[in-house]
Amino acid sequence: MTDLTADFDFKLPEHCIAQHPARPREAAKLLYIPSKSGKFQDKTIRDLPCYFQKGDILIANDTKVIPAKLFAQRGMAHIGITLDRPMGDGTWHVLIKNSKRLKEQDRLDFPDKKCFATVVKLETGGGAFIRFNLEGNEFDKWLNTSGQLALPPYIRRPYGPTERDELDYYTIFSQNPGAVAAPTAGLHFTEELLTQLDHKGVERLALTLHVGAGTFLPVRSENINDHHMHAEYGVLSPENAERLNQAKVEKRRIIAVGTTTLRLLESAIDRQGIFHPFQQETSIFIRPGHQFRSIDILMTNFHLPRSTLFMLVCAFGGTEKMRQAYEHAIRNNYRFYSYGDACIIEKEFL
């Protein structure tokens, strides 16, 4: 087990970074990664139901992406803003481009002149807290007409998100607005796929974790113990916590769609393996050595080198096995990141 960020690095050819999703979505590749000594299996998303059995619990993140990217001016300076999360007191935590041009109490004006924001507090590294003059439904309506999708920086859109992105970057599970980035494992699911799982006797549940702008930030520290994990707001309802507890009693498998789902489940479960209702922020940082208590199988996309999410999958599937899996994926032209292919990982039993 290592604490060095460099030990979670790998070389990824540029052509492996997906710029558009597979069409149809079920045509995306799917790599099955078994625990222990089993062999990798190269499949497609169409084969996903083959890995489920009657009684399984499939739990997904039902957050919905908001148009979180905004452009403002402070005098003649152009300021780029990415909303991160609302703080509950009328302020927003944001990431700011050109933050060195700002000072606290500066006014940020938006092009339509209907809205402005005041800088409440500046952080090192480009973070800030700002307060808009609009609130509630009035703010939501303005944001939906003035904001853009904050696509990840590795998806190249020099002229901004396209009309197709406005459709592609939402999962079939999307219900509760608040995420800056999509929970991308969910992008692979279609109505047809869900119907097949229903017919197989798979039970479906949902939780909410609003994925924040910090998910794009790399681990900059040399030692992962020095990394400050971003906070994200999540909800696991009392009903679904109880349903998951009952599933554990019945020894049914719990399968998480995406690392965001897994992070919230691990935040909501105690050391005795009991789920509790959850409605607060979590900044859980899962890395090798973590003892998983919540799920049996993880479905996820392929993640960035040196990222907290690659560290998470190494913790779940075993670091050496995940290195081998990523090498296999690169050799076999799997597509990486948000619009890329997926894998199913069985939990490594220590």
Side-chain angles (χ1 to χ4, degrees):
M1 191 163 58
T2 178
D3 292 330
L4 297 178
T5 303
D7 288 337
F8 296 93
D9 201 1
F10 57 89
K11 292 183 179 180
L12 184 69
E14 185 74 18
H15 70 266
C16 289
I17 301 173
Q19 297 301 309
H20 303 277
R23 305 194 197 284
R25 293 194 180 194
E26 298 98 321
K29 291 182 178 181
L30 179 69
L31 179 62
Y32 175 68
I33 305 171
S35 62
K36 299 182 180 178
S37 59
K39 293 183 178 181
F40 301 140
Q41 296 177 18
D42 297 300
K43 301 289 185 178
T44 68
I45 295 296
R46 291 190 183 94
D47 300 308
L48 185 62
C50 299
Y51 294 102
F52 286 80
Q53 59 195 35
K54 184 177 181 180
D56 284 347
I57 303 281
L58 179 73
I59 183 160
N61 188 356
D62 67 4
T63 188
K64 185 175 182 179
V65 177
I66 61 173
K69 191 173 183 179
L70 297 165
F71 300 95
Q73 281 189 269
R74 197 273 303 152
M76 297 300 292
H78 295 272
I79 308 296
I81 300 170
T82 301
L83 301 180
D84 182 23
R85 64 191 192 277
M87 301 307 299
D89 61 356
T91 64
W92 278 81
H93 185 261
V94 299
L95 299 181
I96 293 185
K97 189 175 181 179
N98 280 347
S99 62
K100 293 181 180 179
R101 306 288 294 273
L102 298 179
K103 61 182 184 298
E104 292 179 3
Q105 300 308 314
D106 273 351
R107 171 169 162 156
L108 303 173
D109 292 298
F110 297 95
D112 62 4
K113 307 300 182 184
K114 295 179 181 178
C115 184
F116 66 87
T118 304
V119 179
V120 177
K121 182 181 178 182
L122 291 169
E123 300 178 313
T124 57
F129 293 90
I130 66 175
R131 186 185 303 276
F132 292 91
N133 66 311
L134 302 178
E135 297 180 349
N137 291 334
E138 192 176 7
F139 174 78
D140 293 340
K141 184 177 179 181
W142 173 81
L143 182 63
N144 284 328
T145 57
S146 301
Q148 290 185 359
L149 288 178
L151 290 177
Y154 45 75
I155 295 178
R156 295 188 296 274
R157 297 290 188 272
Y159 303 107
T162 65
E163 290 185 7
R164 191 70 214 192
D165 288 317
E166 299 287 345
L167 299 173
D168 288 337
Y169 203 57
Y170 291 89
T171 77
I172 196 171
F173 306 109
S174 297
Q175 291 288 330
N176 297 306
V180 174
T184 54
L187 294 176
H188 297 288
F189 286 83
T190 62
E191 289 288 358
E192 182 180 353
L193 200 58
L194 293 180
T195 298
Q196 291 179 42
L197 294 175
D198 291 343
H199 288 164
K200 199 153 189 176
V202 175
E203 182 177 352
R204 292 192 273 126
L205 299 177
L207 51 70
T208 305
L209 184 70
H210 292 316
V211 189
T215 195
F216 298 145
L217 299 177
V219 177
R220 294 190 174 95
S221 58
E222 293 183 5
N223 190 303
I224 63 176
N225 294 314
D226 297 328
H227 177 67
H228 177 70
M229 195 71 178
H230 58 280
E232 295 169 322
Y233 184 79
V235 178
L236 177 65
S237 70
E239 297 79 10
N240 283 350
E242 181 55 36
R243 193 69 201 95
L244 290 167
N245 286 328
Q246 185 62 32
K248 279 189 165 290
V249 170
E250 297 167 354
K251 298 190 183 304
R252 297 165 64 182
R253 298 191 306 173
I254 299 174
I255 302 165
V257 179
T259 55
T260 60
T261 299
L262 177 54
R263 288 183 66 239
L264 184 56
L265 290 174
E266 288 294 304
S267 301
I269 198 168
D270 64 22
R271 291 181 179 274
Q272 286 69 47
I274 305 298
F275 288 101
H276 298 274
F278 192 94
Q279 190 170 358
Q280 63 190 67
E281 288 187 338
T282 177
S283 56
I284 188 172
F285 183 7
I286 298 175
R287 52 268 183 78
H290 180 87
Q291 183 179 349
F292 291 91
R293 297 178 172 89
S294 62
I295 72 167
D296 304 287
I297 294 175
L298 172 65
M299 177 181 173
T300 184
N301 283 19
F302 292 92
H303 303 292
L304 285 75
R306 302 174 69 95
S307 67
T308 60
L309 298 183
F310 182 58
M311 295 171 191
L312 182 152
V313 298
C314 286
F316 189 79
T319 300
E320 186 55 35
K321 173 147 284 192
M322 293 312 301
R323 287 185 186 282
Q324 294 171 3
Y326 272 51
E327 289 171 2
H328 175 94
I330 292 169
R331 284 197 309 271
N332 289 275
N333 297 314
Y334 277 72
R335 302 160 72 246
F336 277 58
Y337 305 166
S338 297
Y339 279 155
D341 299 317
C343 59
I344 293 182
I345 311 170
E346 290 186 347
K347 182 169 65 175
E348 179 78 353
F349 292 94
L350 302 177

